[in-house]
Amino acid sequence: MTAAPVVAVVGPTASGKSGLALDLARRLDGEIVNADAMQLYRGMDIGTAKLSVQERGGIAHHQLDVLDVLQEASVAAYQREARLDIADIRARGHRPILVGGSGLYVRAALDHLDIPPTDPVVRARLQDELAHKGIEAMYARLVQADPVAAQAIQPNNDRRVVRALEVIELTGRPFSASLPIREYELPTITIGLKIPRQELDVRIADRVHQMWSAGLLDEVRALDAGGLRAGKTAAKALGYSQALSHLDGFLTAEKAVEDTITSTRKFARRQESWFRPDSRIHWLAHDDLQLTSRALDVIGSG
């Protein structure tokens, strides 16, 4: 008998992905695989809106709390581990349900994606050049070397610009040649949650205020004692970098909250831009009173 398709739930932050994934897991005898890069980190709970153990309701969750804040998140490592989780879940006769808004991580888990090599020496040299020459010069170099990749990367995204230049140097091929194609590794049905932008903006603001009320600063203080500032990935997480700036006296609490809201809204726009062109996604209204039933209908017809 052919195994049932993998189910993925995607969309912008604060759109209700976790709730739908839990409902589907209950109905489909499923287990959840996280595809939110920041939820990989232990202790980063409030600021990532990570479901508590109690909120998970006994549903098994994978790829949560697998990294310390000092470790750098790696798409290649995530791809390997997430695919092992998906295979194990299927082998147990359960349904894998991937949920998250980190677009590249979603595609690393689900799509044909050959992740190119990395070299710490080359990466360090490029980062040193970035520090001395600035992101504009590095991005201009990428435009010359691989205009297709440059078009797909935000000009101020220093991490991805450096990575693209690293891959070009190591492989002698354009970075764009290694970008994922929209072809699933396994039979998959992807549900996307759509939400009007004005409503999403309100939900993001409400969520950020709730995070601060729930003790985000105390969470950041504890993580800071464990080395958060030294983490290349974790320290840049939305909300955490602003909280650190507040603790250092560079931002007032009000300004830190405001900056977090603004940055999160921009991030949500990028998520929408990432997922929108993917014609494989079945989009459903986030506030549909029959959302779970409609999602199950999509899954059943797939």
Side-chain angles (χ1 to χ4, degrees):
M1 183 180 296
T2 303
V6 176
V7 172
V9 180
V10 303
T13 187
S15 59
K17 298 184 296 295
S18 296
L20 176 59
L22 276 176
D23 287 343
L24 293 176
R26 294 187 189 101
R27 297 288 293 273
L28 298 172
D29 192 20
E31 299 182 24
I32 291 174
V33 179
N34 165 56
D36 181 319
M38 293 302 112
Q39 291 194 7
L40 297 170
Y41 286 101
R42 281 183 284 273
M44 293 178 64
D45 302 331
I46 296 173
T48 65
K50 188 184 298 176
L51 293 180
S52 67
V53 173
Q54 292 76 17
E55 289 171 324
R56 296 171 205 170
I59 302 295
H61 281 62
H62 306 270
Q63 294 307 304
L64 291 178
D65 304 325
V66 296
L67 296 177
D68 292 323
V69 292
L70 285 168
Q71 295 176 276
E72 185 173 2
S74 160
V75 176
Y78 172 80
Q79 180 185 62
R80 180 182 65 250
E81 298 302 321
R83 289 185 176 184
L84 285 173
D85 286 332
I86 289 171
D88 288 345
I89 293 167
R90 285 161 58 92
R92 291 193 296 272
H94 298 295
R95 182 79 72 111
I97 299 175
L98 187 90
V99 57
S102 297
L104 186 56
Y105 282 68
V106 171
R107 300 196 56 185
L110 299 178
D111 284 348
H112 291 294
L113 174 59
D114 181 22
I115 298 177
T118 186
D119 185 307
V121 175
V122 173
R123 175 78 62 91
R125 174 168 49 76
L126 289 169
Q127 289 175 333
D128 186 62
E129 291 182 39
L130 172 69
H132 286 86
K133 298 180 180 179
I135 185 60
E136 291 185 1
M138 301 299 280
Y139 186 76
R141 185 192 305 182
L142 179 60
V143 170
Q144 289 292 322
D146 188 352
V148 175
Q151 190 173 13
I153 295 173
Q154 293 286 333
N156 62 348
N157 191 330
D158 54 357
R159 192 163 179 267
R160 290 203 71 203
V161 169
V162 166
R163 174 60 175 153
L165 292 171
E166 176 192 20
V167 170
I168 292 168
E169 181 169 334
L170 290 175
T171 66
R173 300 168 58 224
F175 179 69
S176 53
S178 64
L179 293 175
I181 60 173
R182 293 192 172 99
E183 184 176 331
Y184 292 129
E185 279 280 324
L186 297 171
T188 300
I189 297 170
T190 301
I191 305 293
L193 293 183
K194 58 184 178 180
I195 176 172
R197 182 162 291 179
Q198 185 174 3
E199 184 178 351
L200 182 61
D201 284 349
V202 172
R203 287 167 69 102
I204 287 171
D206 289 345
R207 174 179 279 190
V208 172
H209 284 292
Q210 183 180 9
M211 287 173 176
W212 277 71
S213 298
L216 178 60
L217 273 183
D218 289 336
E219 180 172 280
V220 172
R221 286 190 186 96
L223 292 167
D224 193 17
L228 175 62
R229 293 173 192 271
K232 292 183 179 179
T233 311
K236 297 180 180 179
L238 292 171
Y240 291 87
S241 60
Q242 289 85 356
L244 285 171
S245 292
H246 170 63
L247 292 175
D248 290 341
F250 296 120
L251 294 177
T252 64
E254 292 76 13
K255 181 61 174 172
V257 169
E258 180 185 332
D259 284 2
T260 302
I261 292 171
T262 300
S263 297
T264 305
R265 286 172 175 169
K266 290 179 179 178
F267 175 62
R269 307 289 192 266
R270 293 196 297 272
Q271 289 175 303
E272 291 173 329
S273 297
W274 177 281
F275 291 117
R276 188 183 301 116
D278 193 337
S279 61
R280 300 170 301 173
I281 298 175
H282 302 269
W283 292 99
L284 300 175
H286 80 105
D287 57 353
D288 191 321
L289 296 178
Q290 303 297 320
L291 177 59
T292 301
S293 295
R294 297 194 192 285
L296 288 170
D297 287 344
V298 170
I299 294 165
S301 64

